[in-house]
Amino acid sequence: MARTFPIFFITSLIVVACAGSPASPTPMPELVHVRLPMGYIPNVQYAPLYLAEARGYFREAGIEVEFDYSTETDGMTLLGAGEVQFSLASGEQVLLARAQGLPVVNVLGWWQDYPVAIAARAETGIKRPEDLAGKRIGLPGTFGASYIGLRALLDAAGLSESDVTLDSIGFNQVQALVAGQEQAVVVYANNEPIQLEAQGVSVDVIRVADYVHLASNGLVSNETTIASHPDLVQGMVQAFLQGIRDTLSDPQAAYEVCKTYVDNLAQADQAVQTEVLNASIEFWKSDRLGYSDPQSWANMQDVLLEMGLLDQPLDLEQAFTNSFLPSP
């Protein structure tokens, strides 16, 4: 007896026979690998980057990002040599690198204000830059953003280095102030003062940002990458900006994501680390996220010229750009 098949099954066979082999899936475009020198150890302050990576914003932009925390990595030198496409760096690093002929360019102004500050025990009465005269001040060393910020505060008070005693103590500001080793220490306003208060040490904080507006930390690329791969720069900036927006809108969610990237964060003092993140967020806020203010770059150049770290003014229009930001 002949076997019959349901009509729908016969129709399916006909469709398959007519269609032939199924079409091969469209290959996904290859991701561009980006090694990003961070300049510091894993920390909640990098929350926007962690969010951008965890939520796929970099991948959506065609980027596979690798966070490089090696403190020996010199992002500006690597950028200048074309060995990396991007780095995180502060305004003074960009200007000093350009003075050496390195074609680096800030493409996103992440921190809107310079976070360096002076912290002193409340009982010392050191509340203004002028109060630093004759005081012993501990700082990591006479280099980097901490030193630049200190000099900016001294200048705001009409003081010079000869009016104070500088003590290079490495990154031991908290311990030095708790032990009474220093009368004041150079810190980051979003970090060490919070740690000190958590240890029961009441401090007064003199913020650079309250006296002068300086170009601060941001995403830096180089002229070759900008000219040859503007889409890569655009994608990197857009992903980073979305990470900043997400962090601003939901800091607690950002903190939870940080636990994946920061070793032992889950076991750390959550109140302190949450406050570090919240304090950092205040430095990122802006009517136009990522914007580089030309005046802040001019002010930074003035400080470097006054310190003798720059021999002559630079063409600041070549040092930063806002062209990769969304239109205001």
Side-chain angles (χ1 to χ4, degrees):
M1 181 176 180
R3 188 176 182 181
T4 59
F5 293 90
I7 294 296
F8 74 86
F9 184 65
I10 296 173
T11 304
S12 298
L13 290 174
I14 293 172
V15 170
V16 171
C18 293
S21 302
S24 300
T26 303
M28 293 294 290
E30 186 176 349
L31 297 176
V32 177
H33 181 80
V34 168
R35 176 163 66 100
L36 182 64
M38 308 288 275
Y40 191 53
I41 61 175
N43 192 275
V44 293
Q45 296 170 65
Y46 293 132
L49 289 161
Y50 298 152
L51 270 182
E53 204 277 334
R55 294 183 174 178
Y57 301 145
F58 287 119
R59 295 186 72 85
E60 289 172 8
I63 297 167
E64 178 187 59
V65 68
E66 172 195 350
F67 301 132
D68 179 1
Y69 300 105
S70 172
T71 54
E72 286 77 28
T73 298
D74 186 339
M76 295 298 93
T77 298
L78 293 176
L79 267 180
E83 295 183 28
V84 297
Q85 310 100 316
F86 302 95
S87 180
L88 298 182
S90 193
E92 79 281 350
Q93 291 177 274
V94 173
L95 294 184
L96 293 174
R98 289 197 66 87
Q100 297 172 14
L102 302 180
V104 298
V105 183
N106 180 292
V107 294
L108 183 150
W110 175 15
W111 293 66
Q112 295 297 307
D113 272 315
Y114 215 63
V116 174
I118 300 287
R121 284 178 174 270
E123 61 266 24
T124 65
I126 301 174
K127 300 178 182 295
R128 302 174 302 167
E130 300 93 296
D131 299 330
L132 294 171
K135 301 299 190 296
R136 184 181 183 86
I137 305 171
L139 74 167
T142 53
F143 58 84
S146 296
Y147 183 47
I148 301 296
L150 170 64
R151 287 293 300 262
L153 283 174
L154 293 177
D155 187 64
L159 301 174
S160 65
E161 279 192 43
S162 61
D163 295 312
V164 298
T165 300
L166 299 185
D167 188 12
S168 296
I169 59 173
F171 294 94
N172 299 302
Q173 300 99 314
V174 171
Q175 299 92 319
L177 203 65
V178 168
Q181 175 185 335
E182 309 292 340
Q183 293 171 288
V185 289
V186 184
V187 298
Y188 277 75
N190 59 313
N191 192 357
E192 286 88 357
I194 296 168
Q195 296 183 38
L196 286 161
E197 293 284 353
Q199 294 186 35
V201 179
S202 181
V203 295
D204 288 314
V205 180
I206 308 170
R207 303 187 337 152
V208 171
D210 292 334
Y211 293 88
V212 60
H213 187 42
L214 300 177
S216 191
N217 293 2
L219 180 67
V220 184
S221 188
N222 57 37
E223 294 174 4
T224 299
T225 302
I226 290 171
S228 302
H229 304 288
D231 290 346
L232 175 62
V233 180
Q234 188 72 68
M236 193 75 177
V237 168
Q238 288 179 349
F240 199 162
L241 283 176
Q242 190 58 53
I244 297 174
R245 293 188 196 100
D246 286 7
T247 304
L248 295 180
S249 65
D250 194 345
Q252 188 56 45
Y255 185 86
E256 291 302 315
V257 169
C258 286
K259 291 179 180 178
T260 303
Y261 296 85
V262 182
D263 290 341
N264 301 318
L265 181 59
Q267 290 77 45
D269 187 325
Q270 183 160 329
V272 170
Q273 293 302 313
T274 298
E275 185 57 30
V276 169
L277 175 58
N278 290 335
S280 301
I281 284 173
E282 294 302 312
F283 283 92
W284 308 338
K285 291 179 178 179
S286 171
D287 292 336
R288 189 182 181 193
L289 294 179
Y291 179 71
S292 285
D293 178 17
Q295 187 58 54
S296 71
W297 286 90
N299 293 341
M300 177 59 81
Q301 176 165 261
D302 288 344
V303 170
L304 296 178
L305 287 168
E306 174 66 24
M307 294 176 67
L309 296 178
L310 286 181
D311 295 329
Q312 58 186 2
L314 303 170
D315 182 356
L316 294 180
E317 291 185 359
Q318 303 300 313
F320 69 93
T321 179
N322 290 308
S323 62
F324 293 99
L325 301 182
S327 299

